[in-house]
Amino acid sequence: MSHKSDLIAEDILGYLKAQEEKSLLRFITCGSVDDGKSTLIGRLLWDSKLIFEDQLAALESDSRKVGTQGGEIDFALLLDGLQAEREQGITIDVAYRFFSTDKRKFIVADTPGHEQYTRNMATGASTADVAVILIDARKGILTQTRRHSFITSLLGIKHVVLAVNKMDLIDYDQSKFDQIVAEYMKFAEQLNYSSITAIPLSALRGDNMIAPSANTPWYSGPTLLAHLEDVQVEQDAIEKPFRLPVQWVNRPNLDFRGFSGTISSGRVKPGDEVIVTASGQTSKVKDIVTFDGNLDVAIAGQAITLTLEDEIDISRGDVLAHADAKPDFADQFEARIIWMHEDHLLPGRPYLIKMGAQVANAQISDLKYKVNVNTLEHEPGKTLELNEVGIANISADKALAFDPYDENRHSGRFIIIDRYTNATVGAGMVNHSLRRATNIKWQELDIDKGARAYQKGQKSAILWFTGLSGAGKSTVANLVEKKLHAMGKHTYTLDGDNVRHGLNKDLGFTDADRVENIRRVGETAKLFVDAGVITLVSFISPFRSERQLARSLVEKDEFIEVFIDTPLEVCEQRDVKGLYKKARAGEIANFTGIDSPYERPENAEITVNTSDQTAEEAAEAIVSKLEEFGVLGAWFPEI
């Protein structure tokens, strides 16, 4: 949608060229519920004559049916598209609208005000240059005002409009306006804004929206639209160093090999020396190829294909940069995280991180602290819940190319993905790489895992016993180790209870502690495998993600999952330690199978059921499987 222009009828090409050359401003509206965000945008569109006739007819009809203005035009209905939004009179999803004026083009994101939809608000803010933060003049600054201000600052927005709305309901009282502005300015001293412009408004009545209002003669600043047309925002993406995430290696025939992607920041031209961040190889740009022909220069936001003067190894996920302005390249970094899922963030749990076209397995290695977004205080915490913000160290399984978010919003952000559901569970902004990521090197040793196992006449492996408490894991594992020991094999058992007497005695039984419990044991078992030992691990290990993490630490054929598949009712009937009885009585919290879930293995290498088999029979069956898998025979490493 754009403003009416005589050029459309007289010179359509001239009109299109004028549109193309206008600058684009992305902004969001945010604030608490009922502050009038949707009404404000609807009013902007209405007063700017940017509503089509069919939309106007629908708006008038909807205003009579579900409007909140007593039959008068309800501008909020132009934005609140979801049925649930109209019924509740609130914004839930993020609504985007495009419009233009003589001076500028705009994309506005109407974001929800309710606390439970903070993640939606953060999504809308992630691409905005300006935030219009609404305040109900009757209520003043609320918790949501502080929350949204912090998040917009967190996401790098530098320019804020403090829209003090509903001035008509306080009789355009200047003293009240000044009081609100003073309070906000004091709060905003803690935030990293470049400019804050306060405007007294009535979105419903149109005061100071398009034209100065006669009701606020004491205000001499710009109207909202005038400010949005003139506010100077940094040409952020174009002025930053050149970054091209390679999304596709374009090779239609033997004579052409190009690297395609959308420039995330900076500019590039033929002859520029570029570097592949991962390999360090360099070359010069030969051509910038597009569907419409070759370009002399390409800038951020353009989708291009680069051809280079040299044949160097470049794959999807690589990042091309100017050789004299490389991004950081590290596998560990500190980041700000906004958690966006009902399932809590669990440090140590394996996730996927997607940063541009790069994807890596990663863990939150250390949640340093949470930020109370209402008071900005730092608080300790072991997990992040939905809509919480925290500062954390992240460890990936390979180095990634990035810039600190405060230096480059376009190459310093990422999303966190659940490995099993593929749901986006969090968003992050890189603070800086961790120095130890580049200082710590792997020390090669002459005696390796193969040599150690060969000396013992066996193949080292992890036998990972999992199942409910009382299933018989420790009993069966003990019998299996005795049989292997009798066969002359070198073994060691890591038992859940025993390990909690030492290595893991500082951990409790929350989900976060259980994840860390398994991570430590997995790493310990890996060391035993490296020593050539057959390692038996007997842990409930209730979550698939952590069992998969332990599996991923060793070679494919070195991890054997043994599922002791004993039903809950049988385990509860045995209740050797009396734990089920206490859990049922509410004396033990987070007890697996009662008030904490157990996720059954989907493809365990070995499954036994101690309700149908004796422990001796189960152990015998497991040893037979180990022989079948070739673990127990003399093993010769590949040379």
Side-chain angles (χ1 to χ4, degrees), residues 503-566:
L503 176 67
N504 292 350
K505 66 179 179 182
D506 59 322
L507 299 177
F509 292 89
T510 64
D511 287 352
D513 282 344
R514 288 176 185 274
V515 171
E516 175 61 12
N517 189 35
I518 299 305
R519 188 195 69 80
R520 293 184 193 178
V521 171
E523 291 286 355
T524 305
K526 176 186 175 183
L527 293 176
F528 276 101
V529 168
D530 200 50
V533 175
I534 298 172
T535 311
L536 297 87
V537 179
S538 175
F539 274 65
I540 295 173
S541 48
F543 303 122
R544 292 191 193 102
S545 292
E546 283 60 65
R547 296 195 297 265
Q548 180 60 38
L549 169 64
R551 183 186 289 270
S552 70
L553 295 175
V554 295
E555 301 294 329
K556 185 177 180 181
D557 58 350
E558 292 176 342
F559 190 92
I560 299 169
E561 190 171 35
V562 183
F563 179 30
I564 308 298
D565 185 15
T566 304

Side-chain angles (χ1 to χ4, degrees), residues 24-30 37-38 40-42 44-45 79 94-99 105-111 124 127-128 130 132 228:
L24 173 66
L25 180 74
R26 296 174 181 269
F27 69 97
I28 63 166
T29 59
C30 47
K37 299 177 295 298
S38 300
L40 181 138
I41 299 174
L44 270 180
L45 300 176
L79 281 297
V94 181
Y96 294 92
R97 289 291 184 275
F98 170 83
F99 66 97
K105 297 180 288 189
F106 301 92
I107 294 178
V108 53
D110 181 27
T111 61
T127 57
V130 173
V132 178
L228 293 175

Side-chain angles (χ1 to χ4, degrees), residues 64 93 96 132 137 219 268 276 301 333 336 345 384 396 406 408 441 558:
R64 288 192 296 272
D93 202 354
Y96 294 92
V132 178
Y219 174 71
V268 65
V276 185
F333 52 89
R336 292 161 274 175
L345 175 151
L384 287 182
D406 290 341
N408 192 333
K441 304 295 183 184
E558 292 176 342

Side-chain angles (χ1 to χ4, degrees), residues 471-488:
K473 299 180 298 299
S474 296
T475 302
V476 176
N478 184 48
L479 289 171
V480 170
E481 184 174 23
K482 286 171 64 178
K483 292 180 182 295
L484 297 181
H485 186 75
M487 296 166 70

Side-chain angles (χ1 to χ4, degrees), residues 412-426:
R413 59 193 177 194
F414 58 90
I415 59 174
I416 305 172
I417 301 169
D418 184 281
R419 288 164 54 97
Y420 286 93
T421 65
N422 288 322
T424 299
V425 294

